[in-house]
C-alpha cells in the first residue's frame, strides 16, 4: 500500500473515532442506559450478582463489562459511554477487516486490494454504518448493543478466516462459537446468530470440504458451551429471576 493510501486510511479512522467520541459526549440520556450502568456499579462496588442480588432484564455479560468501566473511573456514566465508544470503534475495524478478506478473494498470506476504489468501498461501508438511523440511536448511548455486535463480528471473522485457510478449521470453529455465544449472553436476541453460524459452518463442510464433525461441529459446540458457562451458573443461582428477566 502506498504512503498516500495509508495516510488516507489513518485519517479516516481517526475521524471515525472522533465522530464516535462526539456522539458519546453529546447524545441525550437514554432511559435504557440506567439498567446497564447501575448493574455495573452494583457488581463493581457491592460485589452483587445479577438475578440473585438485584433484578436485571437482560443476559448478564453486559453488566459485567460495565462493571469494568465503573471500577476504572469515578465518572462512571461518562466512562460507560467511553467504553461503548471503544467497542464501536472495534466494530468498525472488524467490519473493515471482514470487507478486506471478502474483497481480496485470495488464500492465506495474500494481501487485500489496495487501490483507491477498494479504499473508497471500505470507507463507504463504514459511513453507511455510522449514519444509519438505528446506528445514530445506539452508537452514543451506554447500552449493550455494542458488545454483542463486536463479538458477533469477531465470530464471523473467525469463520471467514477459517474457510479462506488463514487459520485452521478447528481454531476458527472454536473461536467463532465462543464469540457468538458471548454475544448471545450479552443480549438474547443475538442468540439467533448461533444458529446462523452453525448453518454457515454446516453448509461449507457439506458443499466444499466434506470433512467430519470433529473438524468443525465439536470445536464450535465447545466454544459455545464454554462461553455460556458463567451465564449457566447465574441461572442455577436464581432460575426464576433469570427466566423472568430474559424471557417474560
Amino acid at each position: 500500500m502506498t504512503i498516500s493510501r495509508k495516510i488516507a486510511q489513518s485519517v479516516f479512522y481517526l475521524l471515525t473515532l472522533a465522530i464516535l467520541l462526539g456522539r458519546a459526549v453529546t447524545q441525550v440520556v437514554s432511559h435504557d442506559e440506567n439498567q446497564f450502568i447501575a448493574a455495573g456499579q452494583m457488581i463493581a462496588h457491592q460485589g452483587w450478582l445479577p438475578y440473585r442480588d438485584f433484578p436485571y432484564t437482560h443476559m448478564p455479560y453486559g453488566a459485567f463489562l460495565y462493571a469494568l468501566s465503573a471500577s476504572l473511573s469515578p465518572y462512571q456514566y461518562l466512562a460507560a459511554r467511553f467504553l461503548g465508544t471503544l467497542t464501536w470503534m472495534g466494530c468498525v475495524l472488524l467490519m473493515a477487516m471482514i470487507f478486506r478478506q471478502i474483497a481480496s478473494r485470495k488464500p492465506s498470506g495474500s494481501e487485500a486490494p489496495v487501490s483507491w476504489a477498494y479504499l473508497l468501498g471500505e470507507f463507504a461501508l463504514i459511513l453507511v454504518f455510522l449514519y444509519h438511523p438505528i446506528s445514530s440511536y445506539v452508537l452514543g448511548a451506554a447500552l449493550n448493543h455494542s458488545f454483542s455486535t463486536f463479538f458477533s463480528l469477531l465470530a464471523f471473522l473467525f469463520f471467514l478466516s477459517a474457510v479462506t485457510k488463514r487459520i485452521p478449521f478447528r481454531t476458527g470453529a472454536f473461536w467463532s462459537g465462543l464469540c457468538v455465544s458471548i454475544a448471545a449472553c450479552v443480549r438474547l436476541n443475538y442468540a439467533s446468530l448461533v444458529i446462523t453460524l452453525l448453518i454457515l459452518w454446516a453448509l461449507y463442510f457439506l458443499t466444499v470440504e466434506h470433512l467430519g464433525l470433529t473438524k468443525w461441529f465439536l470445536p464450535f459446540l465447545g466454544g459455545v458451551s464454554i462461553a455460556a458457562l458463567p451465564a449457566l451458573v447465574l441461572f442455577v443461582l436464581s432460575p426464576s429471576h433469570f427466566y423472568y428477566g430474559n424471557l417474560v
Side-chain angles (χ1 to χ4, degrees):
M1 183 183 292
T2 64
I3 293 177
S4 62
R5 289 168 191 164
K6 287 183 179 179
I7 292 173
Q9 251 186 343
S10 300
V11 170
F12 177 83
Y13 286 110
L14 284 174
L15 289 173
T16 298
L17 179 59
I19 291 170
L20 291 171
L21 284 171
R23 289 186 182 179
V25 298
T26 59
Q27 185 94 305
V28 297
V29 177
S30 166
H31 70 278
D32 288 323
E33 290 178 280
N34 66 84
Q35 61 184 312
F36 304 112
I37 297 174
Q41 291 171 331
M42 287 185 280
I43 293 170
H45 301 309
Q46 276 77 41
W48 293 354
L49 293 176
Y51 315 117
R52 188 192 70 176
D53 300 315
F54 61 89
Y56 189 63
T57 57
H58 282 279
M59 292 295 281
Y61 291 2
F64 287 96
L65 290 166
Y66 280 123
L68 174 64
S69 63
S71 65
L72 291 177
S73 171
Y75 304 100
Q76 294 171 22
Y77 180 61
L78 190 60
R81 284 202 164 190
F82 281 170
L83 177 61
T85 294
L86 292 176
T87 307
W88 282 123
M89 189 64 204
C91 293
V92 166
L93 296 176
L94 284 172
M95 283 190 284
M97 293 172 67
I98 290 169
F99 179 81
R100 291 167 200 166
Q101 286 201 16
I102 293 174
S104 68
R105 298 181 182 177
K106 293 180 180 179
S108 175
S110 300
E111 290 290 331
V114 291
S115 66
W116 282 108
Y118 159 75
L119 283 180
L120 291 174
E122 180 180 315
F123 296 165
L125 171 71
I126 304 306
L127 288 173
V128 168
F129 171 71
L130 288 176
Y131 289 99
H132 190 279
I134 294 178
S135 299
S136 298
Y137 172 72
V138 300
L139 289 183
L143 304 171
N144 61 359
H145 304 74
S146 58
F147 307 128
S148 288
T149 303
F150 176 84
F151 283 105
S152 298
L153 288 168
L154 194 57
F156 183 68
L157 181 62
F158 277 117
F159 166 77
L160 195 61
S161 297
V163 300
T164 54
K165 310 298 177 63
R166 289 173 168 85
I167 60 174
F169 288 126
R170 289 190 180 94
T171 301
F174 174 82
W175 286 106
S176 69
L178 185 137
C179 289
V180 77
S181 182
I182 292 174
C185 289
V186 171
R187 190 172 177 89
L188 187 59
N189 56 353
Y190 281 70
S192 61
L193 296 180
V194 177
I195 306 301
T196 303
L197 264 178
L198 183 62
I199 292 171
L200 286 176
W201 278 105
L203 287 174
Y204 178 78
F205 279 99
L206 286 172
T207 60
V208 180
E209 293 291 338
H210 306 290
L211 298 176
L213 294 180
T214 57
K215 278 285 188 179
W216 67 277
F217 180 72
L218 294 181
F220 182 85
L221 184 62
V224 169
S225 302
I226 290 172
L229 276 177
L232 180 61
V233 170
L234 292 171
F235 169 76
V236 171
L237 290 174
S238 184
S240 61
H241 288 178
F242 186 100
Y243 171 79
Y244 183 85
N246 286 290
L247 297 176
V248 175

